[in-house]
Amino acid sequence: MLKSLLGRKKKAMEIQKIADPVSEFPQLDAFWQTTDVSAARFFINDLFQRKFHSDAPTFGHHWVSFYKAETGEHWPTNYIHASIYGPLVLIGGAMTDGAVLQRMKPEHREAIIEAGGCYYTALRQVFKAMSDRCEAFVALIGDPRSMEVSCSAGFEPTAHDKLVIYYPRPVSAERRKELVQAALSAGPF
């Protein structure tokens, strides 16, 4: 019985470690949190439909950044979709709700911008939380501003148009080529 309880406690601690990574941005913790949400459609589907003209995906991991307003309400502000694909985590569907940014307290908005912005801080949290599950993160980016922010967060351009990759640990040159090929075989994501 004790062994069973200890096993469950260990598993719960592992889940907590994955679901609640230590913040890379402690200065934002009082009003800004990014977390993996299983029922993300409930929070972000309207925004997703406005941005991508379709429903948000129901598979994979859904990283939602919430802003805690002075009223105590939590407003979904940023979204990143992450899917595990073999040795890769595919990043897609990233978006920020500009209307929420405008409604934030100016000093909170400024603190988020100083930390790198909504997408940057969320992406860094995703990297931190999921880096033990993959050899690389990949994304297809067509927007110049998204490309700039993605690269400042750690992504590197590849020889393939719009494909960027981030290696959370050192990877040999040969393995890098294999991971890029694996990303290309995933098709659009």
Side-chain angles (χ1 to χ4, degrees):
M1 170 106 167
L2 181 59
K3 188 175 182 179
S4 174
L5 288 173
L6 290 175
R8 278 188 263 167
K9 184 176 180 181
K10 182 180 177 189
K11 184 67 173 171
M13 289 170 60
E14 289 170 3
I15 290 169
Q16 182 65 24
K17 179 182 171 190
I18 292 167
D20 191 20
V22 175
S23 176
E24 190 171 325
F25 307 98
Q27 72 276 25
L28 307 180
D29 286 350
F31 56 87
W32 178 258
Q33 291 289 319
T34 299
T35 189
D36 191 357
V37 177
S38 61
R41 264 194 188 179
F42 179 83
F43 297 105
I44 56 89
N45 204 49
D46 290 343
L47 177 62
F48 200 92
Q49 287 177 341
R50 283 196 314 268
K51 298 278 183 173
F52 298 108
H53 309 290
S54 67
D55 287 328
T58 56
F59 61 92
H61 295 265
H62 310 278
W63 293 89
V64 180
S65 300
F66 291 94
Y67 172 68
K68 184 177 181 181
E70 287 183 302
T71 61
E73 297 173 304
H74 294 85
W75 301 336
T77 309
N78 197 81
Y79 173 75
I80 297 174
H81 184 253
S83 297
I84 296 172
Y85 181 77
L88 304 172
V89 171
L90 311 177
I91 299 291
M95 59 186 182
T96 300
D97 191 337
V100 172
L101 286 174
Q102 295 308 311
R103 292 171 37 206
M104 286 180 182
K105 283 181 69 172
E107 58 267 28
H108 290 171
R109 183 175 49 248
E110 195 56 41
I112 292 169
I113 291 168
E114 277 184 34
C118 295
Y119 175 54
Y120 176 88
T121 59
L123 189 56
R124 293 297 306 168
Q125 288 293 104
V126 172
F127 288 167
K128 189 171 191 168
M130 296 188 74
S131 65
D132 62 341
R133 299 185 190 185
C134 68
E135 292 181 60
F137 293 82
V138 294
L140 293 169
I141 301 174
D143 177 72
R145 176 73 179 130
S146 292
M147 181 66 81
E148 177 185 335
V149 174
S150 297
C151 289
S152 71
F155 275 116
E156 307 171 9
T158 67
H160 304 276
D161 187 38
K162 301 179 184 175
L163 180 69
V164 293
I165 194 162
Y166 168 69
Y167 304 98
R169 289 171 297 289
V171 178
S172 72
E174 185 60 33
R175 186 63 178 150
R176 284 175 176 244
K177 290 177 188 173
E178 293 169 357
L179 291 169
V180 167
Q181 287 307 310
L184 293 171
S185 75
F189 52 92

